């Protein structure tokens, strides 16, 4: 199992931006899909965005006008650009990777590699 490492979280005010990064430790991405999930306080981990190796992207409806997922295969890194952040975006953001079929892309259980998470707090 590949260990993923996230970075870029922090405490920010509403309306500002953050960019999260995700990279494997010790191995390159071999998975077909890299995704971002978020776990808010008291809530289950939920799907935020995913990107396939070929560049197709998928988003949670509430973030699709504000967040952009990207993947730099040459740098072996995935990103989540988050703009116009809102307090409800607060949570621990996790990077995940796996060979995931399209019908399962929004479900946590089909990803076999995860990071430890990075905290994003949006507060005035």
């Amino acid at each position: 199992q590949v260990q993923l490492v996230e970075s870029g979280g922090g405490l920010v005010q509403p309306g500002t931006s953050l960019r999260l990064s995700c990279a494997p430790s010790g191995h390159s991405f071999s998975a077909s899909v890299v995704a971002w999930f978020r776990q808010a306080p008291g809530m289950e981990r939920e799907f935020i965005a995913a990107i396939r190796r070929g560049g197709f992207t998928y988003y949670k409806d509430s973030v699709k006008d504000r967040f952009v997922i990207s993947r730099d295969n040459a740098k072996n890194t995935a990103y989540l650009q988050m703009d116009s952040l809102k307090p409800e975006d607060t949570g621990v953001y996790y990077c995940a990777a796996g060979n995931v079929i399209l019908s399962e892309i929004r479900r946590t259980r089909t990803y076999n590699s995860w990071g430890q998470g990075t905290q994003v707090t949006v507060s005035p």
Side-chain angles (χ1 to χ4, degrees):
Q1 184 174 348
V2 177
Q3 176 70 48
L4 305 178
V5 180
E6 305 100 335
S7 62
L11 173 62
V12 297
Q13 294 183 333
T16 62
S17 299
L18 284 172
R19 188 179 72 162
L20 308 183
S21 299
C22 170
S25 178
H27 295 84
S28 61
F29 282 118
S30 61
S32 62
V33 177
V34 178
W36 289 94
F37 290 79
R38 179 177 68 209
Q39 189 161 16
M43 305 294 291
E44 292 187 346
R45 194 171 301 182
E46 66 176 349
F47 172 84
I48 298 299
I51 184 168
R52 293 166 57 189
R53 181 169 295 276
F56 289 93
T57 58
Y58 309 86
Y59 295 94
K60 176 179 172 65
D61 287 343
S62 63
V63 308
K64 65 192 309 179
D65 58 339
R66 299 182 295 118
F67 292 7
V68 176
I69 187 171
S70 61
R71 181 174 181 174
D72 188 333
N73 292 324
K75 294 183 177 180
N76 203 31
T77 303
Y79 305 94
L80 183 68
Q81 177 68 42
M82 304 185 294
D83 296 329
S84 301
L85 283 163
K86 303 175 180 180
E88 52 262 44
D89 296 320
T90 293
V92 179
Y93 283 72
Y94 296 90
C95 183
N99 294 319
V100 181
I101 63 174
L102 292 181
S103 63
E104 300 288 335
I105 202 166
R106 297 174 182 266
R107 306 184 71 174
T108 63
R109 67 181 184 180
T110 56
Y111 292 88
N112 55 19
S113 296
W114 290 86
Q116 295 299 307
T118 185
Q119 176 71 45
V120 173
T121 302
V122 185
S123 179

